[in-house]
mmCIF file of all heavy atoms in Angstrom:
data_model
loop_
_atom_site.group_PDB
_atom_site.id
_atom_site.type_symbol
_atom_site.label_atom_id
_atom_site.label_comp_id
_atom_site.label_asym_id
_atom_site.label_seq_id
_atom_site.Cartn_x
_atom_site.Cartn_y
_atom_site.Cartn_z
ATOM 1 N N SER A 292 -25.151 -111.573 -13.122
ATOM 2 C CA SER A 292 -25.427 -111.659 -14.584
ATOM 3 C C SER A 292 -25.823 -113.079 -14.936
ATOM 4 O O SER A 292 -25.432 -114.058 -14.252
ATOM 5 C CB SER A 292 -24.201 -111.250 -15.374
ATOM 6 O OG SER A 292 -24.460 -111.421 -16.764
ATOM 7 N N ALA A 293 -26.631 -113.216 -16.014
ATOM 8 C CA ALA A 293 -26.797 -114.521 -16.749
ATOM 9 C C ALA A 293 -25.411 -114.712 -17.435
ATOM 10 O O ALA A 293 -24.877 -113.748 -17.954
ATOM 11 C CB ALA A 293 -27.907 -114.398 -17.706
ATOM 12 N N PHE A 294 -25.021 -115.935 -17.408
ATOM 13 C CA PHE A 294 -23.715 -116.287 -18.143
ATOM 14 C C PHE A 294 -23.964 -116.691 -19.639
ATOM 15 O O PHE A 294 -24.183 -117.756 -19.940
ATOM 16 C CB PHE A 294 -23.062 -117.457 -17.387
ATOM 17 C CG PHE A 294 -22.611 -117.006 -15.971
ATOM 18 C CD1 PHE A 294 -22.407 -118.074 -15.057
ATOM 19 C CD2 PHE A 294 -22.454 -115.720 -15.616
ATOM 20 C CE1 PHE A 294 -22.027 -117.683 -13.649
ATOM 21 C CE2 PHE A 294 -22.109 -115.288 -14.353
ATOM 22 C CZ PHE A 294 -21.803 -116.365 -13.412
ATOM 23 N N VAL A 295 -24.223 -115.659 -20.425
ATOM 24 C CA VAL A 295 -24.371 -115.792 -21.902
ATOM 25 C C VAL A 295 -23.388 -114.933 -22.535
ATOM 26 O O VAL A 295 -22.891 -114.009 -22.055
ATOM 27 C CB VAL A 295 -25.797 -115.368 -22.276
ATOM 28 C CG1 VAL A 295 -26.800 -116.416 -21.690
ATOM 29 C CG2 VAL A 295 -26.174 -114.017 -21.810
ATOM 30 N N PRO A 296 -23.089 -115.232 -23.790
ATOM 31 C CA PRO A 296 -21.931 -114.584 -24.519
ATOM 32 C C PRO A 296 -21.967 -113.014 -24.559
ATOM 33 O O PRO A 296 -20.989 -112.413 -24.234
ATOM 34 C CB PRO A 296 -22.060 -115.062 -25.981
ATOM 35 C CG PRO A 296 -22.665 -116.475 -25.842
ATOM 36 C CD PRO A 296 -23.673 -116.263 -24.746
ATOM 37 N N TYR A 297 -23.053 -112.447 -24.894
ATOM 38 C CA TYR A 297 -23.125 -110.967 -25.047
ATOM 39 C C TYR A 297 -22.857 -110.223 -23.738
ATOM 40 O O TYR A 297 -22.597 -108.980 -23.700
ATOM 41 C CB TYR A 297 -24.347 -110.536 -25.715
ATOM 42 C CG TYR A 297 -25.606 -110.398 -24.891
ATOM 43 C CD1 TYR A 297 -25.956 -109.207 -24.308
ATOM 44 C CD2 TYR A 297 -26.442 -111.453 -24.620
ATOM 45 C CE1 TYR A 297 -27.110 -109.029 -23.450
ATOM 46 C CE2 TYR A 297 -27.621 -111.311 -23.854
ATOM 47 C CZ TYR A 297 -27.926 -110.034 -23.287
ATOM 48 O OH TYR A 297 -28.973 -110.001 -22.521
ATOM 49 N N LYS A 298 -22.927 -110.917 -22.586
ATOM 50 C CA LYS A 298 -22.737 -110.266 -21.302
ATOM 51 C C LYS A 298 -21.216 -110.000 -21.108
ATOM 52 O O LYS A 298 -20.897 -109.217 -20.232
ATOM 53 C CB LYS A 298 -23.339 -111.126 -20.068
ATOM 54 C CG LYS A 298 -24.758 -111.439 -20.240
ATOM 55 C CD LYS A 298 -25.646 -110.269 -19.820
ATOM 56 C CE LYS A 298 -27.033 -110.641 -19.658
ATOM 57 N NZ LYS A 298 -27.921 -109.580 -19.241
ATOM 58 N N ARG A 299 -20.407 -110.690 -21.810
ATOM 59 C CA ARG A 299 -18.968 -110.362 -21.777
ATOM 60 C C ARG A 299 -18.351 -110.631 -20.355
ATOM 61 O O ARG A 299 -17.430 -109.840 -19.968
ATOM 62 C CB ARG A 299 -18.630 -108.996 -22.287
ATOM 63 C CG ARG A 299 -18.962 -108.786 -23.776
ATOM 64 C CD ARG A 299 -18.745 -107.359 -24.212
ATOM 65 N NE ARG A 299 -18.823 -107.242 -25.674
ATOM 66 C CZ ARG A 299 -18.740 -106.162 -26.292
ATOM 67 N NH1 ARG A 299 -18.553 -104.936 -25.648
ATOM 68 N NH2 ARG A 299 -18.885 -105.936 -27.698
ATOM 69 N N ILE A 300 -18.840 -111.586 -19.699
ATOM 70 C CA ILE A 300 -18.341 -111.818 -18.328
ATOM 71 C C ILE A 300 -16.867 -112.192 -18.350
ATOM 72 O O ILE A 300 -16.083 -111.973 -17.365
ATOM 73 C CB ILE A 300 -19.086 -112.992 -17.609
ATOM 74 C CG1 ILE A 300 -20.619 -112.572 -17.639
ATOM 75 C CG2 ILE A 300 -18.769 -113.120 -16.192
ATOM 76 C CD1 ILE A 300 -20.948 -111.272 -17.098
ATOM 77 N N GLU A 301 -16.390 -112.793 -19.458
ATOM 78 C CA GLU A 301 -15.027 -113.240 -19.514
ATOM 79 C C GLU A 301 -14.045 -111.953 -19.383
ATOM 80 O O GLU A 301 -12.927 -112.200 -18.944
ATOM 81 C CB GLU A 301 -14.692 -114.050 -20.822
ATOM 82 C CG GLU A 301 -14.689 -113.156 -22.054
ATOM 83 C CD GLU A 301 -16.085 -112.987 -22.719
ATOM 84 O OE1 GLU A 301 -17.049 -113.446 -22.052
ATOM 85 O OE2 GLU A 301 -16.076 -112.288 -23.696
ATOM 86 N N LEU A 302 -14.526 -110.775 -19.882
ATOM 87 C CA LEU A 302 -13.610 -109.615 -19.665
ATOM 88 C C LEU A 302 -13.343 -109.314 -18.230
ATOM 89 O O LEU A 302 -12.191 -109.048 -17.874
ATOM 90 C CB LEU A 302 -14.251 -108.478 -20.394
ATOM 91 C CG LEU A 302 -14.482 -108.550 -21.901
ATOM 92 C CD1 LEU A 302 -15.158 -107.348 -22.387
ATOM 93 C CD2 LEU A 302 -13.095 -108.768 -22.640
ATOM 94 N N ALA A 303 -14.402 -109.373 -17.330
ATOM 95 C CA ALA A 303 -14.177 -109.160 -15.987
ATOM 96 C C ALA A 303 -13.266 -110.256 -15.370
ATOM 97 O O ALA A 303 -12.404 -109.912 -14.555
ATOM 98 C CB ALA A 303 -15.526 -109.117 -15.316
ATOM 99 N N ILE A 304 -13.517 -111.523 -15.674
ATOM 100 C CA ILE A 304 -12.663 -112.531 -15.162
ATOM 101 C C ILE A 304 -11.201 -112.438 -15.601
ATOM 102 O O ILE A 304 -10.275 -112.515 -14.770
ATOM 103 C CB ILE A 304 -13.208 -113.941 -15.646
ATOM 104 C CG1 ILE A 304 -14.529 -114.173 -15.039
ATOM 105 C CG2 ILE A 304 -12.192 -115.032 -15.289
ATOM 106 C CD1 ILE A 304 -15.290 -115.480 -15.515
ATOM 107 N N GLN A 305 -10.911 -112.080 -16.786
ATOM 108 C CA GLN A 305 -9.533 -111.840 -17.286
ATOM 109 C C GLN A 305 -8.959 -110.622 -16.530
ATOM 110 O O GLN A 305 -7.829 -110.733 -16.285
ATOM 111 C CB GLN A 305 -9.570 -111.655 -18.837
ATOM 112 C CG GLN A 305 -9.851 -112.929 -19.612
ATOM 113 C CD GLN A 305 -10.280 -112.592 -21.009
ATOM 114 O OE1 GLN A 305 -10.383 -111.378 -21.469
ATOM 115 N NE2 GLN A 305 -10.446 -113.653 -21.863
ATOM 116 N N ALA A 306 -9.658 -109.571 -16.321
ATOM 117 C CA ALA A 306 -9.152 -108.419 -15.546
ATOM 118 C C ALA A 306 -8.843 -108.860 -14.251
ATOM 119 O O ALA A 306 -7.663 -108.548 -13.693
ATOM 120 C CB ALA A 306 -10.233 -107.337 -15.584
ATOM 121 N N PHE A 307 -9.646 -109.696 -13.575
ATOM 122 C CA PHE A 307 -9.281 -110.044 -12.072
ATOM 123 C C PHE A 307 -8.323 -111.116 -12.078
ATOM 124 O O PHE A 307 -7.599 -111.273 -11.055
ATOM 125 C CB PHE A 307 -10.582 -110.384 -11.364
ATOM 126 C CG PHE A 307 -11.317 -109.173 -10.912
ATOM 127 C CD1 PHE A 307 -12.077 -108.388 -11.846
ATOM 128 C CD2 PHE A 307 -11.201 -108.681 -9.659
ATOM 129 C CE1 PHE A 307 -12.818 -107.246 -11.487
ATOM 130 C CE2 PHE A 307 -11.948 -107.549 -9.165
ATOM 131 C CZ PHE A 307 -12.626 -106.741 -10.121
ATOM 132 N N ASN A 308 -8.116 -111.995 -13.155
ATOM 133 C CA ASN A 308 -6.911 -112.823 -13.222
ATOM 134 C C ASN A 308 -5.640 -112.093 -12.992
ATOM 135 O O ASN A 308 -4.661 -112.562 -12.429
ATOM 136 C CB ASN A 308 -7.005 -113.595 -14.563
ATOM 137 C CG ASN A 308 -7.919 -114.779 -14.560
ATOM 138 O OD1 ASN A 308 -8.406 -115.288 -13.521
ATOM 139 N ND2 ASN A 308 -8.282 -115.231 -15.751
ATOM 140 N N ARG A 309 -5.589 -110.874 -13.662
ATOM 141 C CA ARG A 309 -4.461 -110.042 -13.728
ATOM 142 C C ARG A 309 -4.228 -109.154 -12.447
ATOM 143 O O ARG A 309 -3.099 -109.011 -12.050
ATOM 144 C CB ARG A 309 -4.425 -109.199 -15.010
ATOM 145 C CG ARG A 309 -4.459 -110.048 -16.272
ATOM 146 C CD ARG A 309 -4.660 -109.173 -17.552
ATOM 147 N NE ARG A 309 -4.941 -109.963 -18.697
ATOM 148 C CZ ARG A 309 -5.056 -109.341 -19.894
ATOM 149 N NH1 ARG A 309 -4.924 -108.134 -20.108
ATOM 150 N NH2 ARG A 309 -5.344 -110.182 -20.928
ATOM 151 N N ASN A 310 -5.318 -108.698 -11.966
ATOM 152 C CA ASN A 310 -5.108 -107.759 -10.849
ATOM 153 C C ASN A 310 -5.064 -108.412 -9.427
ATOM 154 O O ASN A 310 -4.668 -107.744 -8.447
ATOM 155 C CB ASN A 310 -6.228 -106.554 -10.893
ATOM 156 C CG ASN A 310 -7.662 -107.139 -10.634
ATOM 157 O OD1 ASN A 310 -7.848 -108.054 -9.843
ATOM 158 N ND2 ASN A 310 -8.586 -106.480 -11.287
ATOM 159 N N GLY A 311 -5.468 -109.646 -9.398
ATOM 160 C CA GLY A 311 -5.387 -110.368 -8.147
ATOM 161 C C GLY A 311 -6.328 -109.991 -7.064
ATOM 162 O O GLY A 311 -6.321 -110.445 -5.962
ATOM 163 N N LYS A 312 -7.338 -109.125 -7.408
ATOM 164 C CA LYS A 312 -8.335 -108.710 -6.431
ATOM 165 C C LYS A 312 -9.404 -109.722 -6.321
ATOM 166 O O LYS A 312 -9.593 -110.566 -7.209
ATOM 167 C CB LYS A 312 -8.854 -107.305 -6.874
ATOM 168 C CG LYS A 312 -7.842 -106.206 -6.973
ATOM 169 C CD LYS A 312 -8.449 -104.937 -7.295
ATOM 170 C CE LYS A 312 -7.324 -103.827 -7.612
ATOM 171 N NZ LYS A 312 -6.672 -103.442 -6.299
ATOM 172 N N ARG A 313 -10.322 -109.557 -5.342
ATOM 173 C CA ARG A 313 -11.404 -110.546 -5.078
ATOM 174 C C ARG A 313 -12.600 -110.161 -6.002
ATOM 175 O O ARG A 313 -12.939 -108.971 -6.080
ATOM 176 C CB ARG A 313 -11.855 -110.545 -3.594
ATOM 177 C CG ARG A 313 -10.957 -111.124 -2.606
ATOM 178 C CD ARG A 313 -11.465 -111.031 -1.285
ATOM 179 N NE ARG A 313 -12.632 -111.864 -1.099
ATOM 180 C CZ ARG A 313 -13.537 -111.776 -0.140
ATOM 181 N NH1 ARG A 313 -13.421 -110.786 0.796
ATOM 182 N NH2 ARG A 313 -14.571 -112.588 -0.039
ATOM 183 N N LEU A 314 -13.066 -111.256 -6.610
ATOM 184 C CA LEU A 314 -14.249 -111.026 -7.495
ATOM 185 C C LEU A 314 -15.239 -112.190 -7.190
ATOM 186 O O LEU A 314 -14.961 -113.300 -7.240
ATOM 187 C CB LEU A 314 -13.913 -111.085 -8.958
ATOM 188 C CG LEU A 314 -15.087 -110.974 -9.952
ATOM 189 C CD1 LEU A 314 -15.747 -109.669 -9.927
ATOM 190 C CD2 LEU A 314 -14.612 -111.333 -11.329
ATOM 191 N N LYS A 315 -16.493 -111.768 -6.866
ATOM 192 C CA LYS A 315 -17.615 -112.710 -6.746
ATOM 193 C C LYS A 315 -18.579 -112.598 -7.891
ATOM 194 O O LYS A 315 -18.956 -111.563 -8.323
ATOM 195 C CB LYS A 315 -18.369 -112.489 -5.433
ATOM 196 C CG LYS A 315 -17.487 -112.729 -4.109
ATOM 197 C CD LYS A 315 -18.305 -112.582 -2.887
ATOM 198 C CE LYS A 315 -17.396 -112.847 -1.671
ATOM 199 N NZ LYS A 315 -18.320 -112.878 -0.411
ATOM 200 N N LEU A 316 -19.021 -113.806 -8.368
ATOM 201 C CA LEU A 316 -19.902 -113.774 -9.583
ATOM 202 C C LEU A 316 -21.135 -114.542 -9.159
ATOM 203 O O LEU A 316 -21.081 -115.725 -8.808
ATOM 204 C CB LEU A 316 -19.304 -114.485 -10.817
ATOM 205 C CG LEU A 316 -17.986 -113.824 -11.366
ATOM 206 C CD1 LEU A 316 -16.733 -114.615 -10.912
ATOM 207 C CD2 LEU A 316 -18.027 -113.779 -12.859
ATOM 208 N N ALA A 317 -22.306 -113.897 -9.260
ATOM 209 C CA ALA A 317 -23.575 -114.405 -8.926
ATOM 210 C C ALA A 317 -24.312 -114.638 -10.231
ATOM 211 O O ALA A 317 -24.559 -113.610 -10.925
ATOM 212 C CB ALA A 317 -24.405 -113.580 -7.867
ATOM 213 N N GLY A 318 -24.731 -115.844 -10.495
ATOM 214 C CA GLY A 318 -25.457 -116.133 -11.752
ATOM 215 C C GLY A 318 -25.229 -117.482 -12.197
ATOM 216 O O GLY A 318 -24.478 -118.332 -11.652
ATOM 217 N N ASN A 319 -25.855 -117.742 -13.458
ATOM 218 C CA ASN A 319 -25.755 -119.118 -13.931
ATOM 219 C C ASN A 319 -25.998 -118.932 -15.497
ATOM 220 O O ASN A 319 -26.427 -117.911 -15.994
ATOM 221 C CB ASN A 319 -26.776 -120.045 -13.387
ATOM 222 C CG ASN A 319 -26.179 -121.458 -13.324
ATOM 223 O OD1 ASN A 319 -25.425 -121.864 -14.149
ATOM 224 N ND2 ASN A 319 -26.647 -122.202 -12.316
ATOM 225 N N GLY A 320 -25.782 -119.969 -16.273
ATOM 226 C CA GLY A 320 -26.047 -119.994 -17.608
ATOM 227 C C GLY A 320 -25.145 -120.813 -18.450
ATOM 228 O O GLY A 320 -24.317 -121.487 -17.910
ATOM 229 N N PRO A 321 -25.411 -120.912 -19.816
ATOM 230 C CA PRO A 321 -24.613 -121.881 -20.593
ATOM 231 C C PRO A 321 -23.162 -121.596 -20.635
ATOM 232 O O PRO A 321 -22.427 -122.475 -21.112
ATOM 233 C CB PRO A 321 -25.357 -121.695 -21.905
ATOM 234 C CG PRO A 321 -26.048 -120.390 -21.919
ATOM 235 C CD PRO A 321 -26.390 -120.129 -20.480
ATOM 236 N N GLU A 322 -22.730 -120.379 -20.368
ATOM 237 C CA GLU A 322 -21.308 -120.077 -20.364
ATOM 238 C C GLU A 322 -20.568 -120.450 -19.165
ATOM 239 O O GLU A 322 -19.350 -120.173 -19.042
ATOM 240 C CB GLU A 322 -21.102 -118.604 -20.616
ATOM 241 C CG GLU A 322 -21.495 -118.059 -22.002
ATOM 242 C CD GLU A 322 -20.421 -118.238 -23.015
ATOM 243 O OE1 GLU A 322 -19.504 -117.381 -22.997
ATOM 244 O OE2 GLU A 322 -20.475 -119.178 -23.736
ATOM 245 N N LEU A 323 -21.221 -121.018 -18.156
ATOM 246 C CA LEU A 323 -20.572 -121.337 -16.790
ATOM 247 C C LEU A 323 -19.322 -122.065 -16.897
ATOM 248 O O LEU A 323 -18.349 -121.728 -16.370
ATOM 249 C CB LEU A 323 -21.528 -121.974 -15.846
ATOM 250 C CG LEU A 323 -21.129 -122.336 -14.449
ATOM 251 C CD1 LEU A 323 -20.638 -121.125 -13.755
ATOM 252 C CD2 LEU A 323 -22.194 -123.049 -13.715
ATOM 253 N N LYS A 324 -19.351 -123.301 -17.615
ATOM 254 C CA LYS A 324 -18.138 -124.117 -17.710
ATOM 255 C C LYS A 324 -17.017 -123.369 -18.296
ATOM 256 O O LYS A 324 -15.846 -123.414 -17.846
ATOM 257 C CB LYS A 324 -18.509 -125.460 -18.431
ATOM 258 C CG LYS A 324 -19.371 -126.332 -17.670
ATOM 259 C CD LYS A 324 -19.667 -127.613 -18.385
ATOM 260 C CE LYS A 324 -20.522 -128.571 -17.633
ATOM 261 N NZ LYS A 324 -20.830 -129.774 -18.404
ATOM 262 N N ARG A 325 -17.249 -122.701 -19.390
ATOM 263 C CA ARG A 325 -16.195 -121.973 -20.158
ATOM 264 C C ARG A 325 -15.637 -120.848 -19.181
ATOM 265 O O ARG A 325 -14.340 -120.672 -19.106
ATOM 266 C CB ARG A 325 -16.755 -121.377 -21.430
ATOM 267 C CG ARG A 325 -15.584 -120.667 -22.228
ATOM 268 C CD ARG A 325 -16.227 -120.055 -23.493
ATOM 269 N NE ARG A 325 -16.916 -118.842 -23.357
ATOM 270 C CZ ARG A 325 -16.360 -117.630 -23.301
ATOM 271 N NH1 ARG A 325 -15.031 -117.492 -23.628
ATOM 272 N NH2 ARG A 325 -17.129 -116.481 -23.097
ATOM 273 N N LEU A 326 -16.403 -120.189 -18.451
ATOM 274 C CA LEU A 326 -16.044 -119.062 -17.558
ATOM 275 C C LEU A 326 -15.168 -119.637 -16.368
ATOM 276 O O LEU A 326 -14.080 -119.121 -15.988
ATOM 277 C CB LEU A 326 -17.168 -118.285 -17.043
ATOM 278 C CG LEU A 326 -17.921 -117.518 -18.066
ATOM 279 C CD1 LEU A 326 -19.152 -116.791 -17.391
ATOM 280 C CD2 LEU A 326 -17.011 -116.542 -18.796
ATOM 281 N N HIS A 327 -15.537 -120.921 -15.929
ATOM 282 C CA HIS A 327 -14.822 -121.503 -14.889
ATOM 283 C C HIS A 327 -13.346 -121.863 -15.386
ATOM 284 O O HIS A 327 -12.343 -121.693 -14.698
ATOM 285 C CB HIS A 327 -15.397 -122.843 -14.488
ATOM 286 C CG HIS A 327 -16.200 -122.717 -13.236
ATOM 287 N ND1 HIS A 327 -15.684 -122.470 -11.999
ATOM 288 C CD2 HIS A 327 -17.656 -122.842 -12.994
ATOM 289 C CE1 HIS A 327 -16.757 -122.423 -11.022
ATOM 290 N NE2 HIS A 327 -17.893 -122.721 -11.756
ATOM 291 N N ARG A 328 -13.296 -122.244 -16.627
ATOM 292 C CA ARG A 328 -11.950 -122.608 -17.201
ATOM 293 C C ARG A 328 -11.134 -121.384 -17.304
ATOM 294 O O ARG A 328 -9.834 -121.395 -17.193
ATOM 295 C CB ARG A 328 -12.149 -123.258 -18.524
ATOM 296 C CG ARG A 328 -12.663 -124.684 -18.504
ATOM 297 C CD ARG A 328 -12.426 -125.408 -19.791
ATOM 298 N NE ARG A 328 -13.177 -124.709 -20.888
ATOM 299 C CZ ARG A 328 -14.353 -125.038 -21.371
ATOM 300 N NH1 ARG A 328 -15.111 -126.013 -20.655
ATOM 301 N NH2 ARG A 328 -14.958 -124.477 -22.360
ATOM 302 N N ILE A 329 -11.726 -120.246 -17.640
ATOM 303 C CA ILE A 329 -10.985 -119.017 -17.839
ATOM 304 C C ILE A 329 -10.471 -118.410 -16.469
ATOM 305 O O ILE A 329 -9.347 -117.852 -16.441
ATOM 306 C CB ILE A 329 -11.875 -117.888 -18.479
ATOM 307 C CG1 ILE A 329 -12.234 -118.276 -19.915
ATOM 308 C CG2 ILE A 329 -11.168 -116.516 -18.569
ATOM 309 C CD1 ILE A 329 -13.267 -117.390 -20.602
ATOM 310 N N ALA A 330 -11.197 -118.703 -15.308
ATOM 311 C CA ALA A 330 -10.801 -118.061 -14.115
ATOM 312 C C ALA A 330 -9.742 -118.893 -13.567
ATOM 313 O O ALA A 330 -9.828 -119.872 -12.991
ATOM 314 C CB ALA A 330 -12.031 -118.079 -13.195
ATOM 315 N N THR A 331 -8.425 -118.241 -13.521
ATOM 316 C CA THR A 331 -7.280 -118.993 -12.967
ATOM 317 C C THR A 331 -6.845 -118.297 -11.586
ATOM 318 O O THR A 331 -6.011 -119.008 -10.974
ATOM 319 C CB THR A 331 -6.169 -118.716 -14.020
ATOM 320 O OG1 THR A 331 -5.861 -117.342 -14.178
ATOM 321 C CG2 THR A 331 -6.378 -119.373 -15.291
ATOM 322 N N SER A 332 -7.443 -117.211 -11.197
ATOM 323 C CA SER A 332 -7.051 -116.593 -10.034
ATOM 324 C C SER A 332 -7.891 -117.306 -8.817
ATOM 325 O O SER A 332 -9.174 -117.463 -8.995
ATOM 326 C CB SER A 332 -7.444 -115.131 -9.938
ATOM 327 O OG SER A 332 -7.260 -114.591 -8.675
ATOM 328 N N ALA A 333 -7.245 -117.562 -7.732
ATOM 329 C CA ALA A 333 -7.928 -118.187 -6.572
ATOM 330 C C ALA A 333 -8.914 -117.164 -5.951
ATOM 331 O O ALA A 333 -9.593 -117.476 -5.020
ATOM 332 C CB ALA A 333 -6.870 -118.685 -5.532
ATOM 333 N N GLN A 334 -8.762 -115.894 -6.364
ATOM 334 C CA GLN A 334 -9.603 -114.833 -5.722
ATOM 335 C C GLN A 334 -10.951 -114.715 -6.446
ATOM 336 O O GLN A 334 -11.724 -113.787 -6.078
ATOM 337 C CB GLN A 334 -8.808 -113.435 -5.789
ATOM 338 C CG GLN A 334 -7.583 -113.412 -4.919
ATOM 339 C CD GLN A 334 -7.828 -113.294 -3.427
ATOM 340 O OE1 GLN A 334 -8.209 -114.345 -2.894
ATOM 341 N NE2 GLN A 334 -7.806 -112.143 -2.884
ATOM 342 N N ILE A 335 -11.153 -115.517 -7.454
ATOM 343 C CA ILE A 335 -12.410 -115.401 -8.144
ATOM 344 C C ILE A 335 -13.340 -116.498 -7.580
ATOM 345 O O ILE A 335 -12.944 -117.702 -7.633
ATOM 346 C CB ILE A 335 -12.176 -115.543 -9.667
ATOM 347 C CG1 ILE A 335 -11.362 -114.264 -10.110
ATOM 348 C CG2 ILE A 335 -13.476 -115.610 -10.415
ATOM 349 C CD1 ILE A 335 -10.949 -114.411 -11.640
ATOM 350 N N GLU A 336 -14.547 -116.208 -7.305
ATOM 351 C CA GLU A 336 -15.493 -117.083 -6.632
ATOM 352 C C GLU A 336 -16.806 -117.030 -7.398
ATOM 353 O O GLU A 336 -17.407 -116.086 -7.549
ATOM 354 C CB GLU A 336 -15.737 -116.667 -5.160
ATOM 355 C CG GLU A 336 -16.567 -117.618 -4.480
ATOM 356 C CD GLU A 336 -16.882 -117.203 -3.020
ATOM 357 O OE1 GLU A 336 -16.433 -116.122 -2.530
ATOM 358 O OE2 GLU A 336 -17.610 -117.896 -2.280
ATOM 359 N N PHE A 337 -17.250 -118.331 -7.789
ATOM 360 C CA PHE A 337 -18.532 -118.458 -8.480
ATOM 361 C C PHE A 337 -19.580 -118.757 -7.481
ATOM 362 O O PHE A 337 -19.430 -119.926 -6.713
ATOM 363 C CB PHE A 337 -18.509 -119.496 -9.589
ATOM 364 C CG PHE A 337 -17.731 -119.023 -10.748
ATOM 365 C CD1 PHE A 337 -16.368 -119.167 -10.889
ATOM 366 C CD2 PHE A 337 -18.384 -118.470 -11.871
ATOM 367 C CE1 PHE A 337 -15.593 -118.750 -11.996
ATOM 368 C CE2 PHE A 337 -17.625 -118.125 -13.060
ATOM 369 C CZ PHE A 337 -16.295 -118.209 -13.107
ATOM 370 N N LEU A 338 -20.674 -118.071 -7.290
ATOM 371 C CA LEU A 338 -21.632 -118.322 -6.295
ATOM 372 C C LEU A 338 -22.779 -119.014 -6.795
ATOM 373 O O LEU A 338 -23.725 -119.408 -5.966
ATOM 374 C CB LEU A 338 -22.141 -116.970 -5.691
ATOM 375 C CG LEU A 338 -21.019 -116.062 -5.161
ATOM 376 C CD1 LEU A 338 -21.589 -114.734 -4.685
ATOM 377 C CD2 LEU A 338 -20.334 -116.760 -3.965
#
């Protein structure tokens, strides 16, 4: 995805923060820094 607000990428990140499963995110955009801050699980990888 493009990392813009209406894509709601933070919902996926918050879900995977809780479930501990592996998540890979391919994309870029103005929300990137904010999404990095939200991602607290070591299983979440920004590509």
Side-chain angles (χ1 to χ4, degrees):
S292 178
F294 296 157
V295 293
Y297 81 93
K298 301 284 188 178
R299 295 176 171 175
I300 306 303
E301 73 277 2
L302 296 179
I304 292 174
Q305 290 164 354
F307 280 79
N308 280 340
R309 300 176 190 182
N310 66 34
K312 300 177 187 293
R313 291 181 67 197
L314 176 66
K315 295 186 177 185
L316 298 102
N319 211 331
E322 290 276 282
L323 178 60
K324 290 183 179 179
R325 186 178 76 88
L326 296 175
H327 262 293
R328 291 195 298 269
I329 294 172
T331 58
S332 170
Q334 295 288 79
I335 297 176
E336 181 182 4
F337 289 85
L338 304 175

